[in-house]
Amino acid sequence: MPTDTNIDRRTLLGGAVVATATSTIATATYAQTDASSLKGKSILITGCSSGFGFDGALHYARKGAKVIASMRNLPRPEADTLATLAKKEKLDITIIEIDVTSDDQVATGVAEAERLAGGALDVLINNAGVGYAGPIELQDMQATKLIFDTNVYGPHRMARAVLPSMRKAKKGLIFNISSQLGRVIAPSAGHYSPTKFALEAMSEAMAYELVPHNVEICIIQPGGYPTKVWVNRNELAKDLKDRLTAEQAAAYPALVSRMGAEDGTGRNTDPMDVPRAIADIIAMPAGTRPLRRAVHPGMKPQEAINKVSAEIQIAWLGNSPFGPWIKAVHD
């Protein structure tokens, strides 16, 4: 348990920062910081076949980072497309295979990423994830195991693989891509909210525990964006729907009728909001990065919960032996 009550966020995470500079960083908009260079940063990303992962790999590399983009089931057309774009623009992107549900692939993939980086990674972005639809009761164990294995155990596997080197280096940053639905709940999204709530809790616990090691955790909470996650969600939901009995389907007729029918085409938001937000946070000095960042141009209902949660954590544990860690994260 921590005993040094004089530890503060900036001495723990990257040294002293001038107060005026900190204020400027904290209030800067994405547009103001988007030009910040990521040169010299090594970034490993999961789930790069589409969406935030694919777009992010290109974005961070364009800003000068060495990007290791991972995805499942290589070879695949999406990897060829990403490689072609990287070659055309002379970007430092290497594509490797990682299925986050595989212990062996995670261990092998992270070892290769660290070899490419020449040591500990600067940044891990846990982006891979899946979604389902339908009532909780109708989520069979096949669906339940897959979504928890991908959305919760996957980021845990990845963090366990990268952290020994990060701790040794006394620096590092891990992003876990959560969701608005990691703080608020919509019916008929299967175990999506349960897995994202679990990811939020795991991430915050890690953030506290890693303070002495100068490793930071940042939770990204996107709203709805028109990415391929909806296509994949539909496929999984249709498969689950086919496995339902007539009795099960009759119990929730309105909700079952929608399973596999929501493709996300009604959303016109820009998925690049998420990579831009992540790049903005990477460019911040260590010790000034937020624990959570809500990302969406529309409603962000989770922000009120984030604020109250931080206040309660400090009120509950701020004066305990864990207080320096809690205050370091929420400062």
Side-chain angles (χ1 to χ4, degrees), residues 39-91:
K39 188 175 178 58
K41 298 290 187 183
S42 57
I43 303 176
L44 171 60
I45 317 167
T46 65
C48 287
S49 64
S50 65
F52 304 143
F54 186 98
D55 292 344
L58 293 168
H59 185 61
Y60 314 134
R62 286 167 180 156
K63 294 171 76 64
K66 172 184 283 294
V67 173
I68 301 100
S70 74
M71 57 186 79
R72 298 181 301 152
N73 302 327
L74 294 181
R76 58 190 295 175
E78 296 90 341
D80 295 339
T81 301
L82 182 57
T84 298
L85 289 170
K87 183 177 180 180
K88 180 180 179 181
E89 298 185 36
K90 298 181 180 178
L91 301 175

Side-chain angles (χ1 to χ4, degrees), residues 116-132:
L116 291 166
L121 293 159
D122 293 305
V123 181
L124 166 66
I125 302 174
N126 278 316
N127 170 72
V130 297
Y132 268 93

